[in-house]
Amino acid sequence: MIVDCAIYQDGERTETPQDFSDALAEARARGDSFLWIGLYEPTEREFDLVTDEFGLHPLAVEDALTAHQRPKLEVYDDSLFVVLKPVTYEPKSDTVTSGELMIFIGDSFVVTVRHGTPSPLGDIRRHLEEQHEMLKHGPTGVLHSISDAVVDNYLEVATELQNDLEELETEVFSPSGGGSRHTASRIYTYKRQILEFRRATVPLALPMTKLAGVGPGSGVTVPFVHAEARPFFRDVNDHLLRVNESVEGLDRLVSDVLGAHLAQMSVRQNDDMRKISAWAAMAAVPTMIAGIYGMNFDHMPELHWYWSYPAVILVMAFLETVLYRLFKRRGWM
């Protein structure tokens, strides 16, 4: 589905011809204009119209249609193809949901393809149309604005996940909640959210370093992206580095929390086993004595003694008291 289509000249939105070919030709003829087309989960037939007019590479088109791609940057003869994964955080369910955002950039055109619910495109386009300044930089300005919005949202999601981890730590190390099965389920679910978040942020590091012109191959320019925009992409890359460091820290901490939870479970099981063993030992003493006197022999010591029964009861009580105090002193009770 085509969500929006417009020609932007000197940062201002202008009237756009209905035909893509005419719109692109008009944008190129003006010299300081570009065409921006936004699509949402397009069908193959809908995307064929865009592909034919803009000369998009078939491999990039296939990726844009099928989705389920890692964040990446690919350079083709007539276009630049960038994949981003926007994420959202659902406070009610404490879950991270990711979508996919594909961006084609070429000579005087931008084509954005969105899959899934999380996407900042609508807000970005409205913000750019209100501010104008970034649109004056053409497709490069659009790519930077989208990347910046996606990465800034990563920072917000990382903060929410940090808050969730603090709640988990409180629950694990609380006197009563740390050993429950519900806690183990929450830790595992949280680790799944971290994994989903990592899939969006970690692979994006390499494309951002290329756009920012840092790291290996820093002297190589990216086609269809102005070299003057590198400082702006470096700012986005710095934010992404902060996010990835935060994600790595969260992943290590949740592993430590899981280890602490399992250790607590093991300690509590050992405590339970010691208590059971102590009670079993205490129960064994009177059982043994009663078993001895329960044997029906004619000749047994104290069998006909008047005080035999109360004496045996007193011996049992004395031995039980001794065992109880011994186990209590050792922390088994």
Side-chain angles (χ1 to χ4, degrees):
M1 179 175 65
I2 299 175
V3 178
D4 201 351
C5 176
I7 292 178
Y8 295 91
Q9 182 177 13
D10 195 28
E12 297 286 346
R13 181 171 182 145
T14 63
E15 294 185 4
T16 304
Q18 295 296 324
D19 185 77
F20 291 156
S21 180
D22 295 340
L24 181 59
E26 182 176 335
R28 288 173 174 171
R30 295 178 184 178
D32 58 349
S33 304
F34 70 96
L35 175 66
W36 183 359
I37 299 177
L39 301 100
Y40 174 69
E41 297 184 355
T43 63
E44 185 174 355
R45 182 177 179 181
E46 290 173 338
F47 207 63
D48 282 343
L49 300 174
V50 179
T51 303
D52 294 339
E53 297 297 339
F54 296 92
L56 304 180
H57 196 279
L59 292 177
V61 171
E62 182 181 355
D63 290 344
L65 286 173
T66 56
H68 304 293
Q69 304 295 316
R70 287 165 55 90
K72 61 182 179 179
L73 182 150
E74 295 182 353
V75 179
Y76 298 102
D77 293 336
D78 299 324
S79 63
L80 179 70
F81 180 57
V82 181
V83 179
L84 304 173
K85 291 181 75 68
V87 298
T88 56
Y89 177 83
E90 297 294 338
K92 293 182 179 180
S93 58
D94 294 336
T95 56
V96 174
T97 306
S98 63
E100 290 191 40
L101 184 56
M102 288 81 169
I103 308 169
F104 294 88
I105 291 181
D107 181 17
S108 301
F109 72 83
V110 177
V111 178
T112 53
V113 182
R114 177 165 61 94
H115 291 269
T117 302
S119 175
L121 274 182
D123 295 335
I124 291 173
R125 189 187 283 258
R126 286 190 295 269
H127 177 72
L128 289 175
E129 290 177 354
E130 292 173 358
Q131 298 297 326
H132 306 300
E133 286 299 324
M134 193 58 67
L135 285 175
K136 292 181 180 179
H137 298 283
T140 301
V142 175
L143 177 60
H144 169 265
S145 297
I146 295 175
S147 304
D148 188 47
V150 170
V151 173
D152 284 347
N153 189 58
Y154 289 166
L155 291 170
E156 297 177 7
V157 174
T159 301
E160 294 291 344
L161 290 174
Q162 179 66 44
N163 295 335
D164 287 347
L165 181 59
E166 291 175 359
E167 293 178 4
L168 272 178
E169 289 176 328
T170 302
E171 181 175 343
V172 167
F173 294 106
S174 66
S176 58
S180 67
R181 294 182 179 180
H182 176 67
T183 302
S185 176
R186 282 198 62 192
I187 295 174
Y188 178 76
T189 302
Y190 180 84
K191 200 166 182 63
R192 293 286 300 177
Q193 306 314 312
I194 293 294
L195 179 61
E196 182 71 18
F197 195 33
R198 283 172 61 96
R199 290 196 185 107
T201 64
V202 175
L204 187 58
L206 182 58
M208 278 298 121
T209 55
K210 290 182 179 180
L211 292 170
V214 296
S218 58
V220 180
T221 59
V222 179
F224 308 107
V225 176
H226 298 315
E228 295 81 3
R230 283 186 169 186
F232 298 96
F233 283 107
R234 279 200 293 270
D235 181 66
V236 177
N237 186 56
D238 289 341
H239 291 175
L240 182 62
L241 289 175
R242 286 173 51 195
V243 171
N244 284 332
E245 289 174 358
S246 178
V247 170
E248 293 297 331
L250 290 174
D251 190 47
R252 288 194 299 269
L253 283 173
V254 74
S255 297
D256 293 342
V257 169
L258 179 60
H261 172 69
L262 294 177
Q264 282 186 328
M265 292 287 290
S266 178
V267 169
R268 293 187 181 189
Q269 288 177 350
N270 289 337
D271 289 341
D272 292 341
M273 288 302 298
R274 286 190 298 181
K275 291 178 181 179
I276 293 173
S277 300
W279 284 110
M282 292 175 63
V285 171
T287 301
M288 179 188 67
I289 296 174
I292 291 174
Y293 281 92
M295 296 183 294
N296 297 318
F297 293 113
D298 290 335
H299 302 287
M300 293 184 66
E302 297 86 27
L303 188 62
H304 300 287
W305 185 34
Y306 182 79
W307 296 103
S308 295
Y309 181 76
V312 169
I313 296 299
L314 287 174
V315 169
M316 289 183 182
F318 173 75
L319 293 176
E320 290 294 293
T321 302
V322 171
L323 288 175
Y324 178 81
R325 294 186 65 180
L326 177 64
F327 292 142
K328 188 74 172 178
R329 184 180 304 171
R330 294 186 176 182
W332 285 33
M333 299 291 291

